[in-house]
Amino acid sequence: MDPAAMIEGWHEFYLLVGTSAAALTGLMFVVISVSPETIAERPKAGVRAFVTPTMVFFATALAISAFMLVPHIAPAALALLLALTGVGGLAYLVWVRGHHFWREGKLDAEDWVFYIGLPFLGYALLVATAIAIWRGGALGTPMLAFVTLLLLVVAIHNAWDLVIWLAQKRLK
Protein backbone atom coordinates (compact mmCIF):
# COMPACT_ATOMS: atom_id res chain seq x y z
CA MET A 1 0.00 0.00 0.00
CA ASP A 2 1.13 3.54 -0.76
CA PRO A 3 2.64 5.20 2.39
CA ALA A 4 0.52 8.32 1.88
CA ALA A 5 -2.63 6.19 1.67
CA MET A 6 -1.65 4.39 4.88
CA ILE A 7 -1.42 7.73 6.67
CA GLU A 8 -4.77 8.90 5.28
CA GLY A 9 -6.45 5.70 6.50
CA TRP A 10 -5.92 6.75 10.12
CA HIS A 11 -7.85 10.02 9.83
CA GLU A 12 -10.80 9.12 12.10
CA PHE A 13 -8.57 7.49 14.71
CA TYR A 14 -6.45 10.63 15.08
CA LEU A 15 -9.50 12.87 14.98
CA LEU A 16 -10.86 10.95 17.99
CA VAL A 17 -7.55 10.77 19.84
CA GLY A 18 -6.70 14.41 19.17
CA THR A 19 -10.12 15.57 20.34
CA SER A 20 -9.76 13.47 23.49
CA ALA A 21 -6.29 14.82 24.19
CA ALA A 22 -7.46 18.41 23.69
CA ALA A 23 -10.49 17.94 25.96
CA LEU A 24 -8.43 16.27 28.67
CA THR A 25 -5.80 19.02 28.46
CA GLY A 26 -8.55 21.57 29.06
CA LEU A 27 -9.86 19.49 31.94
CA MET A 28 -6.38 19.56 33.52
CA PHE A 29 -6.57 23.36 33.54
CA VAL A 30 -9.88 23.10 35.38
CA VAL A 31 -8.47 20.62 37.90
CA ILE A 32 -5.46 22.83 38.62
CA SER A 33 -7.65 25.94 38.94
CA VAL A 34 -9.83 24.22 41.57
CA SER A 35 -6.91 23.99 43.98
CA PRO A 36 -4.08 26.27 42.81
CA GLU A 37 -2.84 26.82 46.37
CA THR A 38 -2.11 23.10 46.74
CA ILE A 39 -0.03 23.09 43.58
CA ALA A 40 1.70 26.32 44.64
CA GLU A 41 2.70 24.72 47.95
CA ARG A 42 4.47 21.87 46.18
CA PRO A 43 8.19 22.42 45.52
CA LYS A 44 8.95 23.73 42.04
CA ALA A 45 10.98 20.62 41.19
CA GLY A 46 8.05 18.39 42.17
CA VAL A 47 5.62 20.32 39.97
CA ARG A 48 8.10 20.14 37.11
CA ALA A 49 8.62 16.39 37.57
CA PHE A 50 5.02 15.26 38.15
CA VAL A 51 2.38 17.85 37.20
CA THR A 52 3.76 19.46 34.07
CA PRO A 53 4.74 16.19 32.34
CA THR A 54 1.09 15.14 32.40
CA MET A 55 0.26 18.20 30.32
CA VAL A 56 3.20 17.44 28.02
CA PHE A 57 1.96 13.87 27.44
CA PHE A 58 -1.51 15.16 26.54
CA ALA A 59 0.05 17.80 24.29
CA THR A 60 2.22 15.19 22.58
CA ALA A 61 -0.82 13.02 21.79
CA LEU A 62 -2.56 16.14 20.48
CA ALA A 63 0.45 17.14 18.35
CA ILE A 64 0.82 13.66 16.85
CA SER A 65 -2.88 13.68 16.03
CA ALA A 66 -2.54 17.09 14.40
CA PHE A 67 0.45 15.91 12.34
CA MET A 68 -1.56 12.92 11.14
CA LEU A 69 -4.50 15.13 10.14
CA VAL A 70 -2.44 17.46 7.94
CA PRO A 71 -3.84 16.96 4.44
CA HIS A 72 -1.50 15.29 1.97
CA ILE A 73 1.52 15.33 4.30
CA ALA A 74 4.51 13.60 2.78
CA PRO A 75 5.73 10.59 4.78
CA ALA A 76 9.23 12.12 4.98
CA ALA A 77 7.84 15.36 6.46
CA LEU A 78 5.70 13.40 8.91
CA ALA A 79 8.70 11.29 9.90
CA LEU A 80 10.74 14.43 10.55
CA LEU A 81 8.02 15.97 12.73
CA LEU A 82 7.62 12.73 14.68
CA ALA A 83 11.37 12.32 15.14
CA LEU A 84 11.71 15.87 16.43
CA THR A 85 8.80 15.29 18.81
CA GLY A 86 10.32 12.04 20.06
CA VAL A 87 13.78 13.50 20.60
CA GLY A 88 12.24 16.58 22.22
CA GLY A 89 10.17 14.36 24.52
CA LEU A 90 13.22 12.36 25.58
CA ALA A 91 15.18 15.57 26.22
CA TYR A 92 12.25 16.93 28.23
CA LEU A 93 12.08 13.81 30.40
CA VAL A 94 15.78 14.11 31.17
CA TRP A 95 15.36 17.81 31.95
CA VAL A 96 12.47 17.35 34.42
CA ARG A 97 14.62 14.94 36.43
CA GLY A 98 11.88 12.54 37.51
CA HIS A 99 14.61 9.91 37.66
CA HIS A 100 16.26 12.03 40.37
CA PHE A 101 13.20 11.58 42.61
CA TRP A 102 13.25 7.86 41.87
CA ARG A 103 16.93 7.53 42.83
CA GLU A 104 16.24 9.37 46.09
CA GLY A 105 13.60 6.77 46.88
CA LYS A 106 10.67 9.19 46.67
CA LEU A 107 8.82 7.19 44.00
CA ASP A 108 7.05 3.89 44.40
CA ALA A 109 7.04 1.34 41.58
CA GLU A 110 3.77 2.57 40.05
CA ASP A 111 5.01 6.17 39.94
CA TRP A 112 8.27 5.04 38.35
CA VAL A 113 6.37 3.15 35.65
CA PHE A 114 3.94 5.98 34.80
CA TYR A 115 6.19 9.04 35.26
CA ILE A 116 9.48 7.63 33.98
CA GLY A 117 9.38 4.17 32.41
CA LEU A 118 6.38 4.33 30.07
CA PRO A 119 7.03 7.91 28.93
CA PHE A 120 10.66 7.05 28.05
CA LEU A 121 9.40 3.97 26.21
CA GLY A 122 6.77 6.05 24.41
CA TYR A 123 9.19 8.72 23.22
CA ALA A 124 11.85 6.17 22.23
CA LEU A 125 9.21 4.24 20.25
CA LEU A 126 8.14 7.53 18.67
CA VAL A 127 11.65 7.98 17.29
CA ALA A 128 11.63 4.36 16.06
CA THR A 129 8.21 4.95 14.50
CA ALA A 130 9.50 8.03 12.69
CA ILE A 131 12.30 5.94 11.23
CA ALA A 132 9.82 3.23 10.17
CA ILE A 133 7.56 5.78 8.48
CA TRP A 134 10.52 7.45 6.78
CA ARG A 135 11.68 4.07 5.43
CA GLY A 136 8.13 3.16 4.35
CA GLY A 137 7.77 0.27 6.79
CA ALA A 138 4.33 -1.29 7.11
CA LEU A 139 4.51 -1.21 10.92
CA GLY A 140 5.07 2.54 11.08
CA THR A 141 1.46 3.69 11.25
CA PRO A 142 0.16 1.00 13.65
CA MET A 143 3.19 1.61 15.86
CA LEU A 144 2.40 5.33 15.85
CA ALA A 145 -1.16 4.60 16.95
CA PHE A 146 0.21 2.49 19.82
CA VAL A 147 2.63 5.25 20.90
CA THR A 148 -0.09 7.89 20.76
CA LEU A 149 -2.45 5.78 22.88
CA LEU A 150 0.37 4.90 25.27
CA LEU A 151 1.12 8.56 25.95
CA LEU A 152 -2.58 9.36 26.23
CA VAL A 153 -3.19 6.53 28.72
CA VAL A 154 -0.12 7.52 30.75
CA ALA A 155 -1.39 11.10 30.88
CA ILE A 156 -4.87 9.96 31.93
CA HIS A 157 -3.38 7.82 34.70
CA ASN A 158 -1.17 10.67 35.89
CA ALA A 159 -4.04 13.16 35.74
CA TRP A 160 -6.17 10.84 37.87
CA ASP A 161 -3.25 10.45 40.27
CA LEU A 162 -3.07 14.26 40.49
CA VAL A 163 -6.81 14.56 41.15
CA ILE A 164 -6.58 12.02 43.99
CA TRP A 165 -3.52 13.79 45.42
CA LEU A 166 -5.28 17.19 45.27
CA ALA A 167 -8.40 15.75 46.95
CA GLN A 168 -6.31 14.27 49.76
CA LYS A 169 -4.47 17.56 50.28
CA ARG A 170 -7.74 19.51 50.43
CA LEU A 171 -9.07 17.20 53.16
CA LYS A 172 -6.03 17.80 55.39
Side-chain angles (χ1 to χ4, degrees):
M1 181 183 269
D2 175 31
M6 285 178 60
I7 292 169
E8 299 279 332
W10 288 90
H11 184 269
E12 286 77 19
F13 173 83
Y14 286 102
L15 189 61
L16 176 67
V17 171
T19 302
S20 299
L24 290 166
T25 300
L27 192 56
M28 279 292 296
F29 282 97
V30 172
V31 167
I32 298 298
S33 69
V34 167
S35 186
E37 66 282 350
T38 306
I39 296 295
E41 291 171 2
R42 190 171 180 130
K44 182 180 173 185
V47 171
R48 189 172 71 207
F50 301 107
V51 178
T52 307
T54 300
M55 295 297 289
V56 171
F57 304 151
F58 280 134
T60 301
L62 178 60
I64 292 170
S65 296
F67 298 156
M68 290 297 287
L69 294 175
V70 171
H72 312 295
I73 189 167
L78 176 63
L80 177 63
L81 290 170
L82 295 173
L84 291 172
T85 303
V87 169
L90 289 169
Y92 174 76
L93 290 173
V94 169
W95 178 74
V96 298
R97 299 186 44 186
H99 64 282
H100 172 74
F101 290 95
W102 174 65
R103 282 198 321 260
E104 288 183 352
K106 294 180 182 174
L107 289 179
D108 59 22
E110 181 185 357
D111 286 342
W112 185 90
V113 167
F114 282 95
Y115 287 98
I116 298 169
L118 289 176
F120 265 97
L121 174 65
Y123 286 113
L125 284 175
L126 185 55
V127 173
T129 299
I131 293 168
I133 289 173
W134 175 66
R135 298 182 83 193
L139 287 179
T141 49
M143 212 159 88
L144 182 59
F146 172 77
V147 168
T148 308
L149 285 177
L150 174 65
L151 290 171
L152 187 61
V153 168
V154 165
I156 290 168
H157 171 275
N158 294 352
W160 180 251
D161 208 31
L162 176 64
V163 167
I164 297 298
W165 179 79
L166 286 170
Q168 290 172 340
K169 289 293 185 182
R170 289 198 82 171
L171 290 176
K172 289 183 181 180

